[in-house]
Amino acid sequence: MNNKIETNKRELITFLLVAFGVPYLMGIPLGICQAAGKDTSLFANAQMFYPAAGVMLAYLLARRPGLPVRFYLLHIVSAVACLVMSLLSVFLDVSAQQWLLAVNLVIISASVLAWVLLLTDKKEKREAYGLRWHGKFLKGMGICALFLVLRTAAIFILMGLEGPKTWSEYLAYWQTYVPWANFALLIPNFFLCFLPFFGEEYGWRYYLTPVLQQRFGKRKGVLLLGVLWGLWHLPLNLFFYSPETSLQSIAAQIIACVTLGIFFTYGYEVCGRNIWVPVLLHYLNNNMILVWTGTVNISNQVYTWLDIAVAAVQYGILFLPYLTTNVFRTRHS
């Protein structure tokens, strides 16, 4: 039954109000927080929960049969908790480190409990609502390995283009224990903090992509999803990622979301519509930054239009070819 349960207009509206309406409304306190010089990363963490929360709330309100209610309620409560802490961080005089600790505790405890609820729920419920691993484990791991190879190779090429000094320094960095230790920690960390990444992918890949593809065809649907996913980041582009060069940041975001959306959907489909494959890919894409660069600081970046052009070429070469695969071939594409 996975992904074969038809959605309806009321459910779609509920999803859109939560997945897109909440982040845009939260852009107001986010902007206030940024203008006050406070840390805005709490808003980014919370926003990842909203797409799945939108799907879950829509299904709960529709009283769909056989829902994994416990898991759904846990995710929604976690989303609300992160939202409330984001709001409180604007007005309460509490350090950024304390807020981040609190949010991380919520994410870790909720992720661990989520595994318990998922693994103790009936297989039929998980199957019906896209929560089971459908086999093809080796293929899924192969997709993740391919993604790591492609992205890592691209990083090395970009560093080489920066010049001999940058290339030499980057090679020296990989000769230390730092990137390898960070890479080794990725596996256990996934089980402790998967819920935000699931929060996006259950909304984008499981729910919204099929809705758009049914209306516009396989190719146009996944491309439109990428644009919407990119624009979904708009409040973060304005007040978190790159306040000084927000227009360039928005352009880069759309490029990344369109191209990554193609590959994530490809992985999802070729592995039997297995939601855990794009969840893993999303997790790797976000957390390998620590391995590739040695830092997790992605706020207050400054972009040039040359950076955007390079990103467009890089991501286009890496991921656009997957749009020609059988996954996206229908006569309405």
Side-chain angles (χ1 to χ4, degrees):
M1 291 176 63
N2 181 34
N3 257 2
K4 294 182 181 179
I5 304 176
E6 295 292 330
T7 191
N8 60 52
K9 186 177 292 186
R10 182 177 296 180
E11 291 175 355
L12 180 59
I13 291 172
T14 301
F15 168 77
L16 293 174
L17 287 174
V18 176
F20 287 89
V22 173
Y24 274 67
L25 286 175
M26 289 294 286
I28 298 172
L30 173 59
I32 296 172
C33 190
Q34 194 271 334
K38 294 185 176 182
D39 181 76
T40 54
S41 57
L42 266 68
F43 289 84
N45 290 326
Q47 187 163 323
M48 297 179 74
F49 282 87
Y50 302 152
V55 179
M56 294 169 179
L57 184 61
Y59 286 179
L60 287 168
L61 291 176
R63 298 179 181 272
R64 288 201 172 202
L67 288 170
V69 174
R70 298 180 306 165
F71 175 69
Y72 276 17
L73 290 178
L74 171 66
H75 186 91
I76 292 171
V77 169
S78 301
V80 172
C82 290
L83 182 152
V84 169
M85 282 190 282
S86 299
L87 290 174
L88 291 177
S89 71
V90 180
F91 306 105
L92 298 183
D93 188 20
V94 179
S95 70
Q97 290 76 14
Q98 289 174 303
W99 281 122
L100 286 173
L101 176 61
V103 168
N104 285 332
L105 287 174
V106 169
I107 292 173
I108 292 171
S109 57
S111 294
V112 172
L113 181 56
W115 288 119
V116 175
L117 296 182
L118 281 172
L119 294 174
T120 57
D121 215 337
K122 294 181 179 179
K123 291 182 180 180
E124 293 79 10
K125 290 184 179 182
R126 286 180 279 148
E127 179 70 30
Y129 291 96
L131 298 172
R132 281 192 66 194
W133 186 285
H134 297 284
K136 299 187 179 180
F137 177 80
L138 291 179
K139 179 174 283 190
M141 293 300 98
I143 294 292
C144 292
L146 173 62
F147 179 75
L148 288 178
V149 169
L150 291 174
R151 291 284 279 118
T152 302
I155 295 291
F156 271 86
I157 291 171
L158 287 176
M159 290 299 176
L161 294 175
E162 291 288 329
K165 182 179 180 182
T166 301
W167 174 248
S168 177
E169 290 174 350
Y170 196 59
L171 288 180
Y173 162 72
W174 279 92
Q175 292 172 16
T176 68
Y177 74 92
V178 175
W180 306 103
N182 290 333
F183 183 75
L185 290 173
L186 286 179
I187 296 176
N189 282 348
F190 172 76
F191 295 98
L192 297 175
C193 65
F194 83 96
L195 210 54
F197 305 96
F198 175 88
E200 283 201 49
E201 291 306 314
Y202 198 65
W204 307 139
R205 241 53 62 186
Y206 171 76
Y207 181 78
L208 190 55
T209 297
V211 170
L212 295 175
Q213 288 182 326
Q214 288 169 12
R215 175 65 178 83
F216 300 102
K218 292 283 189 178
R219 291 195 180 114
K220 292 178 182 177
V222 77
L223 292 173
L224 180 57
L225 184 281
V227 174
L228 293 174
W229 184 20
L231 293 175
W232 174 81
H233 290 86
L234 182 62
L236 299 176
N237 294 123
L238 294 174
F239 304 118
F240 176 62
Y241 293 136
S242 183
E244 293 184 25
T245 54
S246 54
L247 188 59
Q248 292 92 324
S249 177
I250 295 166
Q253 193 77 63
I254 292 175
I255 290 167
C257 289
V258 168
T259 52
L260 288 175
I262 291 169
F263 190 79
F264 288 7
T265 303
Y266 168 79
Y268 176 64
E269 293 286 349
V270 298
C271 292
R273 293 185 174 179
N274 186 336
I275 193 61
W276 299 105
V277 174
V279 170
L280 279 167
L281 290 171
H282 199 144
Y283 170 79
L284 290 171
N285 182 70
N286 288 29
N287 288 276
M288 278 294 291
I289 294 172
L290 181 60
V291 179
W292 291 321
T293 67
T295 179
V296 292
N297 183 20
I298 56 174
S299 63
N300 299 307
Q301 301 292 310
V302 176
Y303 299 99
T304 67
W305 286 112
L306 178 60
D307 295 329
I308 308 310
V310 171
V313 172
Q314 174 194 346
Y315 280 88
I317 291 173
L318 290 179
F319 302 120
L320 280 180
Y322 290 92
L323 197 60
T324 66
T325 61
N326 289 333
V327 163
F328 301 107
R329 285 178 183 167
T330 67
R331 63 180 179 167
H332 299 297
S333 295

